[in-house]
Amino acid sequence: MTSWYPWVKALHIVFVASWFAGLFYLPRILVNLVSVPPDSHAERERLLVMGRRLYRFASLLMIPALVLGALLWWGAGFGHHALWLWLKLALVVVAIGYHHACGARLRAFEAFANDRSERWYRVFNEMAVLLFTAIVILVVVKPFSG
């Protein structure tokens, strides 16, 4: 591995953790939005503004996290065939989908078209923690590596 690899790895960790911080909080905003009383326009608008800004910021953090992750994979040689890595990459794809699902749910609130319950959002809120935990375990423990 070259001398740039540890720097890229460190930055990748920073951007992934930052991206997931957004994924931890954005669904919480959605939980709060679903419980806003219908006559509380100011509170609803404040939460929508917070959600839009956080989604945009998390999207900007996701891009370098993915690019740096691809650089790490390239730096290690794409031939890495360990099952843990493929499972991790699959979970990254799920995390990207979750990120976009958060944006879709936010847009539903903006359009007054939310069709989900508070309970659904509370369960949805926990998905990012489960994804992050599974990804970290796969990277650190490297199960299935033989």
Side-chain angles (χ1 to χ4, degrees), residues 20 24 91 123 125-136:
F20 266 88
F24 294 153
L91 290 178
V123 172
N125 182 52
E126 303 305 323
M127 298 291 291
V129 174
L130 295 174
L131 275 169
F132 188 73
T133 302
I135 289 169
V136 168

Side-chain angles (χ1 to χ4, degrees), residues 26-36 44-45 47-49 51-52 101-118 120-121 124:
L26 185 55
R28 187 69 221 161
I29 291 173
L30 299 174
V31 169
N32 291 332
L33 268 166
V34 78
S35 60
V36 169
R44 180 183 183 283
E45 193 54 38
L47 288 169
L48 285 172
V49 167
R52 281 191 292 268
C102 287
R105 298 313 316 159
L106 185 61
R107 286 188 297 280
F109 276 105
E110 291 172 331
F112 294 93
N114 175 51
D115 58 352
R116 308 286 182 178
S117 68
E118 182 178 351
W120 187 91
Y121 281 104
F124 183 73

Side-chain angles (χ1 to χ4, degrees), residues 1-19 61 64-65 68-69 71-72 139:
M1 290 193 212
T2 62
S3 60
W4 59 265
Y5 195 86
W7 287 98
V8 172
K9 190 174 194 178
L11 289 172
H12 175 64
I13 291 168
V14 167
F15 279 102
V16 168
S18 300
W19 172 35
L61 293 166
L68 292 166
L71 278 173
L72 289 172
V139 170

